[in-house]
Amino acid sequence: MMFWKKKSGIKIYQLYKEPVSSDKLGVWQKHLGSFTQVVGYSVTGSILLFAPDSKEYLIFYPSMPGNNCKNYGEFPDIAEFEERILKEPSFPQYGLYPITEKDVKALVKILGPLAADEIYHPALDPAIGGSLNLDGFTKGNVFIHSDILGQNRGIE
């Protein structure tokens, strides 16, 4: 696994050396169609997915209500997707949803660095009464958190 750091030193996302199966996403998996491989995730739980048949990449935002996926289309490889999408200056605005880079920097100071497959997230999902105040954040497994978000939203 490798993290990409912005010039500010903030770890924005992590890519896997080898993709993992989207079945790790729990209730969401059957709703992702041909995007069967997880290639990485942001430090706040946005999931980077790949469709092997079409070579398309998609970012899935389990914290975002409504239309929570964006298909970025076909790329010859993950390096090109990373260069053209993930390293774009606007990526943190969406990839770190629902917080900002400044918030992530504060969370690193408050909670410490992340371990493998860990993300920063509200301890209680805002969809069921939690808040986005940074003092209510914790660290947790990206896949477990994603599945819990789906269950909280009634995804089956």
Side-chain angles (χ1 to χ4, degrees), residues 1-2 14-20 38-41 117 142-143:
M1 288 186 270
M2 58 186 157
Q14 185 168 351
L15 295 176
Y16 290 112
K17 289 183 192 268
E18 295 294 325
V20 298
V38 177
V39 295
Y41 56 91
D117 289 342
V142 63
F143 298 111

Side-chain angles (χ1 to χ4, degrees), residues 19 21 23 39 66 92 98 145:
S21 173
D23 65 1
V39 295
H145 179 68

Side-chain angles (χ1 to χ4, degrees), residues 3-64:
F3 273 110
W4 179 71
K5 290 184 182 182
K6 291 192 62 140
K7 289 179 184 173
S8 65
I10 297 173
K11 294 177 179 180
I12 302 295
Y13 61 87
Q14 185 168 351
L15 295 176
Y16 290 112
K17 289 183 192 268
E18 295 294 325
V20 298
S21 173
S22 63
D23 65 1
K24 292 183 83 124
L25 295 172
V27 297
W28 297 105
Q29 190 268 335
K30 65 183 173 184
H31 301 283
L32 297 170
S34 62
F35 292 91
T36 60
Q37 295 182 345
V38 177
V39 295
Y41 56 91
S42 79
V43 298
T44 56
S46 299
I47 310 294
L48 312 175
L49 293 157
F50 177 66
D53 294 338
S54 65
K55 307 263 188 262
E56 291 177 290
Y57 288 85
L58 175 133
I59 300 180
F60 166 50
Y61 305 94
S63 296
M64 190 178 290

